[in-house]
Amino acid sequence: MLGIFFAGIAPGLALLSYFYLKDKYEPEPVSMVFFTFFFGALLIIPIAFIEYVLKVENIVQYDSIYAIFSSGLIEEFFKWSILFFIAFKSAEFDEPFDGIVYGTSISLGFATAENILYLMNNGMEFALTRAFLPVSSHALFGVIMGYYISKAKFTKESKWPLFLLSILLPTFLHGIFNFLLLNQGSLFAMSPYMMFLWWFGLRKVQLAEISSYNHFQKNYTIKPRPNLKSGIKILLPISR
């Protein structure tokens, strides 16, 4: 049981660490990151209940296109709600890259809880496949969601198109992932699709890093710190 727990939690924590360390200029408090990770994990309860009711009551056919995309919508909606009502409204959410940190922490919290339950029911032999497919895909959906909700927070123009994009785009990508995963005839397309998700997600990470750099330049001078390895920077307040 302990082995299953560690196998279930390790991929999520590894990916969370990777994206957290990408926050170069003002890293988020670790307590806040794990707080959102924990809330993401708790989402497994309402999401599992709703999906169970939809299936048992035959509201949607489990193998239909509607079910595949509705499952993605339910999961992404709940993750978006935590991102918006807890992280987005927090005073800690004060730079463009923060959306990616909190988006991935919530998504990986849910993915980790889901992964542990799956391995408990199906066995350790699925641990590697789960790490490369569902867990990493949830992380990338969180990156995309967080990127657009950050754009909404810091834009001076209309926020609602970006809010809609922050939930609809991850939902659409999630639906495609579910379709490829559940449709045996489309498994050959899963590898290129995951490569696309990683390319798209890392591109959003890069753009968020640039946005954070520009954001801090308005109030700070970013200079290399002496005696540190090349590329490590600190923020110095601008004299006024």
Side-chain angles (χ1 to χ4, degrees):
M1 181 65 71
L2 192 59
I4 289 177
F5 174 79
F6 283 117
I9 200 172
L13 291 181
L15 286 166
L16 180 58
S17 299
Y18 172 77
F19 289 109
Y20 178 80
L21 293 174
K22 285 284 187 180
D23 192 358
K24 299 176 181 177
Y25 304 115
E26 191 178 75
E28 298 309 290
V30 174
S31 59
M32 182 66 177
V33 174
F34 277 103
F35 181 70
T36 52
F37 182 90
F38 176 72
F39 265 91
L42 289 180
L43 290 179
I44 195 72
I45 299 172
I47 289 173
F49 175 75
I50 292 172
E51 291 181 348
Y52 174 79
V53 170
L54 291 176
K55 183 179 178 180
V56 169
E57 296 297 327
N58 205 31
I59 297 174
V60 294
Q61 295 295 320
Y62 181 70
D63 58 350
S64 69
I65 294 294
Y66 179 71
I68 289 170
F69 280 88
S70 67
S71 174
L73 177 60
I74 292 167
E75 293 178 13
E76 299 307 324
F77 172 77
F78 273 93
K79 290 189 288 185
W80 187 93
S81 299
I82 298 296
L83 180 58
F84 180 77
F85 288 106
I86 294 181
F88 184 86
K89 295 182 178 295
S90 169
E92 300 294 347
F93 197 132
D94 57 3
E95 62 160 304
F97 200 86
D98 291 353
I100 288 179
V101 173
Y102 292 123
T104 54
S105 68
I106 294 165
S107 290
L108 286 169
F110 172 77
T112 297
E114 183 183 59
N115 199 35
I116 292 171
L117 291 176
Y118 187 92
L119 295 180
M120 288 175 61
N121 291 323
N122 296 280
M124 285 280 287
E125 61 267 26
F126 295 99
L128 189 60
T129 303
R130 295 276 311 170
F132 280 108
L133 292 177
V135 177
S136 62
S137 66
H138 274 291
L140 296 167
F141 301 146
V143 166
I144 296 162
M145 180 182 292
Y147 173 78
Y148 285 105
I149 207 167
S150 271
K151 286 182 70 71
K153 186 175 182 72
F154 294 100
T155 187
K156 295 181 180 178
E157 301 176 2
S158 176
K159 298 179 182 295
W160 286 108
L162 292 167
F163 279 140
L164 288 174
L165 195 58
S166 71
I167 188 170
L168 293 181
L169 185 54
T171 296
F172 176 71
L173 295 173
H174 194 156
I176 294 174
F177 175 86
N178 287 348
F179 175 79
L180 295 175
L181 191 64
L182 297 175
N183 195 317
Q184 294 294 324
S186 298
L187 286 178
F188 72 94
M190 182 58 78
S191 293
Y193 184 66
M194 288 303 299
M195 291 174 64
F196 163 75
L197 280 182
W198 272 105
W199 170 82
F200 191 64
L202 292 179
R203 176 58 179 160
K204 297 306 180 188
V205 168
Q206 184 181 46
L207 292 173
E209 288 175 329
I210 294 170
S211 295
S212 280
Y213 178 87
N214 293 334
H215 173 78
F216 280 112
Q217 268 201 325
K218 296 177 182 179
N219 298 296
Y220 294 86
T221 302
I222 302 176
K223 297 181 178 180
R225 178 184 291 174
N227 300 322
L228 289 180
K229 293 181 180 179
S230 176
I232 300 178
K233 302 178 177 65
I234 58 171
L235 304 177
L236 301 175
I238 293 176
S239 299
R240 297 187 182 279

